[in-house]
Amino acid sequence: MTAVWKIYYDYYFLVQLLIWLHFLTNVCQAWLPDSGSKLVNNLKQISSIKFTGNLTHPDYFIVLSQNEHSILLGGRNKVYNLSIYDFNERIQSRIEWPSSEDHSQLCILKGKTEDDCQNYIRILYKPVPGKLVMCGTNSYKPLCRRYVETLNGHYKIEDQFEGIGICPYNPDHNSTTVFSDNQLYSATVADFSGGDPIIYRYPQRTEQLDLKQLNAPNFVSSVPYGEHIYFFYRETAVEYMNCGKIIYSRVARVCKNDKGGPHPPRDRWTSFLKARLNCSVPGEYPFYFDEIQSTSEIINGSYGDSGIQNVIYSALTTPNNAIGGSAICVYKMNDIIGAFQGSFKHQESLNSNWLALSDSMVPKPRPGKCVSDSRLLPERNVNFIKTHSLMEEAVPVHFGQPILIRVSLQYRFTTLTVDPQVRTTDNEAFDILYIGTDDGRVLKVVNIPNGEAAKAVVISENDVLPREIPIKQIKLTSESGRIVVVSRDEVRLVALAHCKSISSCSECVDLQDPHCGWDAKQKACVPMNKVTTRRYIIQDIRQGDKSKCSWTPPTDKFQFGNPSSTREAEVPPNSDKDEDLYPSVNVEDVSDCGNDIDRCAVKQKIAGEPQTLHLIIVAACIGALIVGFLSGFFFSKRFRSSGPYHDAPFFEQHNHLERLNGNQTFSAPRPNKTVNLVLNVRSPTPPLKKDNLDVTKDLNIASDGTLQKIKKTYI
Ligand SMILES: *[C@@H]1O[C@H](CO)[C@@H](O)[C@H](O)[C@H]1NC(C)=O
Ligand SMILES: *[C@@H]1O[C@H](CO)[C@@H](O)[C@H](O)[C@H]1NC(C)=O
Ligand SMILES: *[C@@H]1O[C@H](CO)[C@@H](O)[C@H](O)[C@H]1NC(C)=O
């Protein structure tokens, strides 16, 4: 054991450095083309319509539901009904629901702030037509209300019920709900302090405070698929047995028809299973993007050689304290199902490694399989799944690697939404992604599958909100390119249809935007949804090949002699509902776009010649390599000569921590510490409390098993 630790620490830094260098060189070699965007639009160039609600207090906006004409926006003590065309609020259908005086006073008494002690509406669903259920944080006392629609289109309160386990206490908590087959599934926290995570559908829930099931999760999304409900989230990885803790992305699922176990009260899932999501750049040391931030809906599309598939897009990032890396990974639903059909992970005892369980040890019927009545399951199955909810295999990423990677000191991806399968003139279809960042940007991206692989092209990078504002949610509207962008305190209706700002064929084709095509007859870059016949449209989404522009449309001599010809109607007059809804502006006058959000995107070239950019990046990489090698070499040399570490490997650990923390209290006599730590690792039941108080900073060093113990003792 000691020998292992010794080797581990000897090379710990070096290995870390190597992994980073490997990643950086990969970035340099392979993803340089990814780093650009075809268009860059700053805040002034993007015109949008803004809704701010309450100007003096935080709103914690969330789009609760939407249809073709309106969106329902949850905020502070209110639900707003906005027209999706112009963002005008339909004030007559606003729903007001503040917390009662009692509830908000109790909340203040419990030490929460006045902003906390409001009712932030988080959930809205329609169980049956004409009815509405809403849930809100209600001053840290989650509450739901049933409403019934009255004859004049207003909603009247019917009754209310407790929302614990359904709605979060804190408006900022990362929770998710989905209403499917007449049932509401929620993933949130079920206590005031936020320490009791839960995946719940009345009456079943996950085990309470069982770190093997849920370990400080941040839920991201939930979707029904087949006979299951799938939940996407990130959590502290219980299977990670090295020192420190790490967060992994997960997909978990439960059976819709789970009725609980053989014994009353049957309030626990008998089908809860989870698997890790693998979003990584392959290589000898795969580079992982481990923290999922968002997923799309399930998309049914056609993807190169892999044919028609149900897939889910997700945005993942590196941890907060690492260099900012973000990636878009696509998962096939079939691969997710595959992971749940593989082996289970098994931990023999508290401190042993998690390993694959051999199939002979798995009871029958297979735990986690949906059965017609889970109450008839044998005891053994139900107990098995409680301790084996984690699958051995991680879900592999579709196309073998992320379709898009961004390494940036400025931003990380926070959310994404997909406009699925936008058709082109040659009848191919591509998914368009809108990706939000934590610094107010929206990237419009097209996924281009090619054979087994896929690669995303960034069509435009747009500053939609000021730099300090993270984007929380993006929703599509029925108008292509027009999206709803949600942040905590404001919501914007933004048009990312760039066609009208482009004047030449080569630029139009080069953009690779499936929403735009060059009309060779009209000589204009036109939005595809306004085109009735695709005959004169030049597009090349795959290559952006400008040489196609040399094609000239055939002139038809019989055009005027044939009254039934549809030619005149091929490109419809440029008038549509936009012009009716927005005051029309002079096309040349781009600086003042008024309310016409379609006309304001201006094309800009990215600064710097690509060649220079390339050289700079290569030079930076070589520099990084040299610095990295030297510092690694220096560190290993220095620690090697700095003490009697053959006998006491843990000194090294102390040294590193001391350096990292800059904490002087660590300079206690060495022998004591050694004894402490050795005990901590070796003894099967270490004196936890004492260690904890004694060397708080060393908690990270203890194996995960120890950590768990401590948490449990606390609770
Ligand atoms: C929102 O407003 C539209 C138009 O007035 C109306 O049809 C719809 O029912 C409203 N929705 C709700 C939930 O009030
Ligand atoms: C929810 O997720 C966001 C984005 O990753 C994060 O910044 C925030 O801290 C999370 N909220 C909580 C309460 O953990
Ligand atoms: C994740 O996928 C990569 C290949 O894409 C593979 O090398 C790596 O071992 C996988 N990691 C896990 C934990 O399955």
Side-chain angles (χ1 to χ4, degrees), residues 433-455:
L433 284 68
Y434 298 95
I435 304 165
T437 68
D438 58 1
D439 72 345
R441 281 176 236 236
V442 174
L443 274 55
K444 182 176 180 182
V445 169
V446 56
N447 179 23
I448 305 180
N450 185 9
E452 292 275 280
K455 184 160 165 51

Side-chain angles (χ1 to χ4, degrees), residues 276 278-284 286 288 392-397 400-401:
R276 182 179 174 190
N278 182 348
C279 177
S280 61
V281 180
E284 204 174 339
Y288 289 96
E392 165 69 13
E393 296 293 329
V395 181
V397 54
Q401 58 176 309

Side-chain angles (χ1 to χ4, degrees), residues 275-314:
R276 182 179 174 190
L277 293 169
N278 182 348
C279 177
S280 61
V281 180
E284 204 174 339
Y285 297 102
F287 186 84
Y288 289 96
F289 297 86
D290 267 331
E291 304 199 1
I292 193 167
Q293 304 293 340
S294 177
T295 76
S296 66
E297 304 286 299
I298 292 172
I299 313 276
N300 181 264
S302 156
Y303 302 96
D305 288 359
S306 46
I308 304 218
Q309 292 285 346
N310 286 316
V311 302
I312 191 156
Y313 285 82
S314 57

Side-chain angles (χ1 to χ4, degrees), residues 41-42 76 136 141 153 232 248 260 293 300-301 306 317 321 348 383 465 510 559 569-570 634 679 692 695 711:
N41 293 309
N42 66 30
R76 179 181 170 116
K141 197 175 191 339
F232 292 83
Y248 283 167
Q293 304 293 340
N300 181 264
S306 46
T317 63
N321 56 5
E348 194 60 50
N383 290 335
L465 291 166
D510 182 47
Q559 194 179 346
E570 268 157 13
F634 170 75
L679 261 178
N692 192 5
V695 278
K711 278 194 188 163

Side-chain angles (χ1 to χ4, degrees), residues 47 210 224 255 395 574 714:
S47 174
D210 179 350
C255 290
V395 181
N574 232 353
Y714 260 97

